[in-house]
Amino acid sequence: MTQLPPQDLAQKKIGLTQLLARPILSASLAQNTSDLAQERAQSLREEDTILLFRIGGERFALPANSVLNVFPLTTVRNVPHRTRPPFRGLCCHEGAILLTGMLHVVLDMDMDANADAKLRRMIVIGSEDASWAFEVDAVDCIRKVDPSRFRNAPSTIPKNASSCTNCIIPLDDGDAVLLNPIAIQTIMEKAIQ
């Protein structure tokens, strides 16, 4: 980054001071206040972006801002005396040791035995200091969605899956179940307590 000569910097400071010191006309103030008070049109924010993936032939989604990483399947090591599902063990990715859970167990479903092993991925959710990795059959894509189209989840969802389900997202190419990453983490953390 280049620095401005002292005289140019002084002129910019004077210009900025004059801009900030100018009086605001009451009509302008009223208009600005009115503009800010207007309800904004719905926009697609970061939390309206989802990561689509598959487990056992079903399609699921997570808010993209809850996903820390996605990487190819890696070896998961068992932890002695800690074998209660959904805790699976530990895996390592780029030097980080990650707690690894079994999302399909949390959701009361089976992994797809016929899924292409080359498509299997690990998804990491949570925060830098409290994250969980889990295996999925495939990651489809990242998409922006319109929350006004979301539907309530049916009451026929199994108990654990129901506690992790936020809603159903209708998409042009089929529905997806939006999962609650905090609920998933909570269930996985109970397995190691």
Side-chain angles (χ1 to χ4, degrees):
M1 185 174 198
T2 60
Q3 286 191 332
L4 294 173
Q7 65 273 15
D8 289 347
L9 188 58
Q11 286 178 335
K12 287 193 184 277
K13 284 182 181 178
I14 291 169
L16 185 58
T17 303
Q18 289 174 347
L19 177 67
L20 295 175
R22 70 179 166 78
I24 298 175
L25 301 174
S26 59
S28 295
L29 183 60
Q31 182 62 45
N32 291 344
T33 303
S34 174
D35 289 346
L36 287 173
Q38 293 292 322
E39 188 172 322
R40 289 179 50 194
Q42 184 176 354
S43 64
L44 293 176
R45 302 173 311 273
E46 182 181 347
E47 57 267 19
D48 300 325
T49 304
I50 57 170
L51 173 76
L52 288 167
F53 61 94
R54 296 182 186 274
I55 297 176
E58 298 290 327
R59 195 172 193 196
F60 295 96
L62 282 166
N65 62 1
S66 70
V67 177
L68 297 178
N69 206 339
V70 176
F71 55 91
L73 193 60
T74 189
T75 303
V76 177
R77 304 288 182 198
N78 293 331
V79 176
H81 311 293
R82 295 284 183 178
T83 57
R84 186 170 50 158
F87 180 62
R88 184 172 172 197
L90 301 172
C91 72
C92 183
H93 180 67
E94 294 180 351
I97 297 175
L98 303 166
L99 293 168
T100 306
M102 297 181 276
L103 183 59
H104 67 284
V105 171
V106 170
L107 300 175
D108 295 327
M109 42 186 328
D110 296 321
M111 293 292 280
D112 186 355
N114 299 322
D116 186 350
K118 293 177 185 174
L119 297 178
R120 291 190 190 273
R121 296 289 182 262
M122 301 292 281
I123 296 176
V124 182
I125 61 171
S127 61
E128 294 293 333
D129 56 340
S131 59
W132 280 87
F134 52 84
E135 181 181 342
V136 298
D137 292 332
V139 171
D140 291 343
C141 62
I142 294 175
R143 272 198 202 166
K144 289 199 176 279
V145 292
D146 180 0
S148 67
R149 296 184 58 211
F150 292 0
R151 298 189 320 256
N152 291 333
S155 58
T156 55
I157 295 176
K159 183 181 175 215
N160 272 355
S162 176
S163 68
C164 294
T165 300
N166 277 346
C167 61
I168 304 296
I169 304 173
L171 301 167
D172 295 336
D173 54 346
D175 293 349
V177 177
L178 180 63
L179 299 175
N180 180 338
I182 296 170
I184 293 168
Q185 277 189 269
T186 302
I187 291 171
M188 289 184 179
E189 284 169 4
K190 286 180 183 175
I192 60 171
Q193 293 176 349

